[in-house]
Amino acid sequence: MLWWSIVILAIFLIGLTKSGFGSGAGLMIAPMTTFAMAHIPKYGTDAALGLLLPLLMVGDFIAIWQYRRLLSMKIVRRLLPGTIIGVVLGSLLLRWFVRQQKEVAEALVNIDIGFESVFLVLLHFYRVWRASGNLPPYVPRIWRSFLVGAFAGISSTIAHAAGPIISLHLLPQRLERGMFVGTCALYFFLMNALKLPAYYQVGLFEKISPQLAMMFVPLVIVGALVGYLVNRRINDRIFTNTLYVITFALGWYILAKGGIQLRLQIRGGAMSSSSTKVALVTGASRGIGRAITIELANCGFDCVINYLRNADAANEVKQAVESAGQRGHLVQADVGESADRRRLVDESYNAFGRVDLLVNNAGIAPDARVDILEAGEESFDRVIKVNLKGPYFLSQLVAQKMIVGSASADRPKIITISSVSAYAASTNRGEYCIAKAGLSMMTKLYAARLAEFGINVYEIRPGIIETDMTGPVKAKYDKLILEQDLTPIHRWGKPEDVANAVAAIATDRLPFSTGEVINVDGGFHLRRL
Ligand code: NDP
């Protein structure tokens, strides 16, 4: 509830700042929303940006309407050519950074904008003082508007931080305050519209339904009415000085934020040069993933511990990793969601600067076992999304990073935990079998593609393992294993059996094998006469 309250406040501020003070004053909105939504499991940080963009455009649109008689088309026209080029460049950089070092670029852009904001505000007051309070209005040349537009376009697309640049471009022109606010709104509306395709392409809207965004629109409208009233009631001098103060304060804020981001990156870089290998294990909070993570820590790996809901269990695993003398880093992320996968990889590299081993372990069983002649599409979509699409695209993201670092890394690896269900037909859980069969082909594909980069890829096929997943069918398998000779080795598999196989690969015991399947199933796969 607390986190949603912060989101609600931030969205109210969209209307208030856009209709009251122009877009620059709302620079805190994105950090507030991102911070709050990072704590709401279903959404996360990327969803915040996807939610904000349409609402910011609604706020711009209302302000354009409120100040429709006061807009300066001339100023916007002069800014636009540079802005279009800036947004195109920013979009290309965004696409590239999503795969590479987005954080470094964002940190540098923030430091630059923060520094400029602080410096230009100080310069302005120095000039006012030199002119004994009578500074004449300033009319920018065309080339200057072009450059401001280009810089605003790039920084808005990468870091959502063009507000101070535009405020400091408009304020010295001494526009009437309604014209200042309306012109800002028109300009940012067009800029935000230009950013839509790039944001869509990198998947920032995936978690945001139109209904969710629509729900918040009334809040933006109320904020806009309050902002409009405030704007009407204050005088020009207070209005201008307020904006300079806000820009100055936000300038410091962005500068500090950029500095912290850069320090984290440098620390990450320093870590990447450390010789400790790093494993990223999905679904590491319970069952097989938990055992794998603890075993990898025993083998000397630092571990990224991914989980979906069970933060307490994940924390216990982190403590076990630390007891083994290694570093653990928790990342809540749904491997079935594209934005979460990207964040998982970003946070792993932010924490440790490298990933040497990806273990695709997270997986779910169908909610109910239903005959394939009756089973519905909903369960099929859910199981395929988490068990197949998730590992397929997570492997892609990590492989891209591994390729970039492969020259310096020591034989990175990808291991996927499939199941005997990759080949054993269970007609009452077809979706699970199909997902696991898909993982077998996925292993072959990545093994063939990544061998040239020195990256080996393996599939581990567990049999029946005693975990929460098999809890509901324990009685059935007790009978099959212990009484009816289902497996030549008459016992349940333990998560540690799978973890030992992972450890053998992780410690380089199979360097001349790739695309290999390792059965950890008590001999279930043997055909017997
Ligand atoms: P469990 O149900 O015991 O644990 C599942 C783990 O995956 C938990 O850590 C859970 O996190 C996490 N998880 C679930 N959904 C997601 C998601 N969408 N995103 C990220 N994490 C998620 O399962 P097992 O340990 O038994 O199974 C692990 C893997 O082994 C699965 O892929 C399964 O198919 C496979 N397997 C299992 C066998 C068995 O007999 N148990 C046999 C053959 C294969 P949280 O704790 O937060 O819920």
Side-chain angles (χ1 to χ4, degrees), residues 187-263:
Y187 175 71
F188 276 99
F189 180 79
L190 295 173
M191 166 123 81
N192 286 331
L194 286 170
K195 280 158 57 179
L196 282 172
Y199 277 46
Y200 179 76
Q201 220 196 6
V202 296
L204 292 181
F205 296 123
E206 278 175 13
K207 286 189 181 170
I208 300 301
S209 63
Q211 289 90 328
L212 180 73
M214 286 297 291
M215 242 172 58
F216 288 112
V217 168
L219 214 59
V220 181
I221 297 174
V222 175
L225 292 175
V226 177
Y228 188 71
L229 284 179
V230 173
N231 183 283
R232 297 245 124 172
R233 272 162 198 254
I234 54 174
N235 70 36
D236 280 351
R237 203 182 152 79
I238 296 180
F239 176 79
T240 313
N241 286 336
T242 307
L243 276 180
Y244 273 118
V245 170
I246 290 177
T247 308
F248 185 75
L250 292 180
W252 272 116
Y253 167 77
I254 311 174
L255 192 61
K257 184 175 164 196
I260 292 167
Q261 282 171 323
L262 196 64
R263 221 185 61 207

Side-chain angles (χ1 to χ4, degrees), residues 280-285 303-309 314 318 328-335 340-349 351-352:
L280 160 49
V281 184
T282 66
S285 46
C303 298
V304 178
I305 301 150
N306 158 248
Y307 67 101
L308 181 64
R309 290 195 191 87
K318 182 169 185 266
H329 181 74
L330 297 178
V331 184
Q332 184 287 326
D334 183 340
V335 294
D340 278 26
R341 289 192 290 273
R342 260 196 307 279
R343 183 169 52 77
L344 172 59
V345 175
D346 284 349
E347 287 188 25
S348 304
Y349 277 83
F352 296 127

Side-chain angles (χ1 to χ4, degrees), residues 274 276-280 296 300-304 321 325-328 352:
S274 122
T276 306
K277 290 190 175 183
V278 175
L280 160 49
L296 287 172
F301 280 77
D302 287 337
C303 298
V304 178
V321 167
Q326 300 303 131
R327 291 175 300 176
F352 296 127

Side-chain angles (χ1 to χ4, degrees), residues 285-286 288 308-310 334-335 361 418 432 436 463 465 467:
S285 46
R286 290 184 288 123
I288 295 173
L308 181 64
R309 290 195 191 87
N310 216 323
D334 183 340
V335 294
N361 164 75
S418 67
Y432 185 80
K436 293 297 181 182
I465 312 288
T467 67

Side-chain angles (χ1 to χ4, degrees), residues 55 282 438 496:
L55 294 171
T282 66
E496 290 70 22

